[in-house]
Amino acid sequence: MPDVPVSRSSGTVVAAHGRHYLVELDDGERLDCFPRSKKSEVACGDRVDIERVADDQGVIAAIQPRRSLLYRSDAFRQKLIAANVTQVIVVVAGEPAFSSEVLMRCLIAAEVQELATLVVLNKVDLTAGRAAAEARLAELEALGQPILRLAATVDANPLRVRLAGHTSLLVGQSGMGKSTLVNALVPGADAATREISTALGSGRHTTTHATLYRLAADSALIDSPGLQEFGLAHVSRGELEHAFRDFHDWLGHCRFRDCRHDTEPDCALRGAVASGRLSAQRLTLFQTIARSLPS
Ligand SMILES: Nc1nc2c(ncn2[C@@H]2O[C@H](COP(=O)(O)OP(=O)(O)O)[C@@H](O)[C@H]2O)c(=O)[nH]1
Ligand SMILES: [Mg+2]
Ligand SMILES: [Zn+2]
C-alpha cells in the first residue's frame, strides 16, 4: 500500500454502478470510491464514511443508518435501488404503454418502506395510448393515489413544486421519460450524467445507474435505470394485502384467518368482487403478485 495518510470524511453516494461509487463529500468534492468488503451493499443516496486511499480514490468504510431503503428482490438476491429516499415517483406514459403490474409493484415497495408516492403520467402531449392509460390509472386515483399529468418535453414545472423538501426517486419502466424529466428540472444534468458515465465506465446513452441530483439545499432527485420487473420477495403477504388500499374494509372478514382470497369459501374479498364493491382486476392483480411471493 502506498504511504498515504488516512483521512476520514463523510459524504453522500451520488452515483452507483456495480461496486463503483461516486461520493460527494460534505465539502463538495466528488470522489471515486469502492466498498471495503466484498459483501457491503451501498446504494445511491447512502450517507457514507470515506477513507481516502489515494488523491482521487476513497474506500467506503461505513454506511450510516438509513431512513429508508428501496430495493427489489427475488428468492436469491436483492437489488438496491436507492437509500434515504422520502418520496417515490413512478413515471408512466401512454406510449409505450405501461404495465399496471410494474406500477403496482413500485407502489407496494414504497408503501412497505412507508414512503410518500406520486404517479406521474408523462407524455400527455401525445394522444396515442392516453385514453387507455387514463382508464388504468382511474382505479388508483379513486383510491386516493396522487397522480400528476404532464409532458416533460413541454413543461416539467408542475412536478417541481412536488419535489420541495424531499429526496425523490424516479422509477419505472424504461422509455417513460424519467431522464427527460431530470434534464428538464436540473440544469446541467445531461452533462453531469455523461461525465459520471465516463467516470464509472458505464454506458452513455441509457440510464445504467442510479444518479442523485441536488435541486436545492433541502431537496434532491434520483434518476434510476428502467426496470421491466420488480421482484417483491421481501414483502410479506400481510404487507401486500395492506398495500392494496381498496382491500382494507374486507381484510379480517374472511372465514379463515389465513385466507389466501383464492378458492377458500366465504372469502370477504371475493364476496366484495361478486357484489360489485371491489374491482375484479384489482383482486386478479393481487393474486398475480401474491403468487410470485415466496410464501
Ligand atoms: N412526446 C413526448 N416524448 C417524451 C416526453 N418525455 C420523454 N419523451 C421521449 O421518450 C423517450 C424516452 O425518454 P427517457 O427520458 O429516456 O425515458 P427513461 O427511460 O424513463 O429515462 C425519449 O425519446 C424522450 O424524448 C414527453 O413528455 N412527450
Ligand atoms: Mg433514463
Ligand atoms: Zn379471503
Side-chain angles (χ1 to χ4, degrees), residues 91 93 95-96 121-126 150-155 171-183 205-207 223-226:
V91 183
E95 181 63 48
L121 174 60
N122 185 32
K123 308 195 192 185
V124 295
D125 57 316
L126 302 178
L150 54 74
T153 49
V154 179
D155 182 13
V171 283
Q173 295 162 270
S174 57
M176 299 292 142
K178 296 178 293 297
S179 298
T180 306
L181 278 168
V182 169
N183 289 329
H205 299 296
T206 53
T207 316
D223 191 11
S224 70

Side-chain angles (χ1 to χ4, degrees), residues 253-256 259-262 264-270:
H253 295 289
C254 301
R255 185 200 293 186
F256 299 108
C259 183
R260 301 176 76 84
H261 323 304
D262 194 0
E264 291 84 353
D266 295 330
C267 167
L269 289 176
R270 284 194 301 126

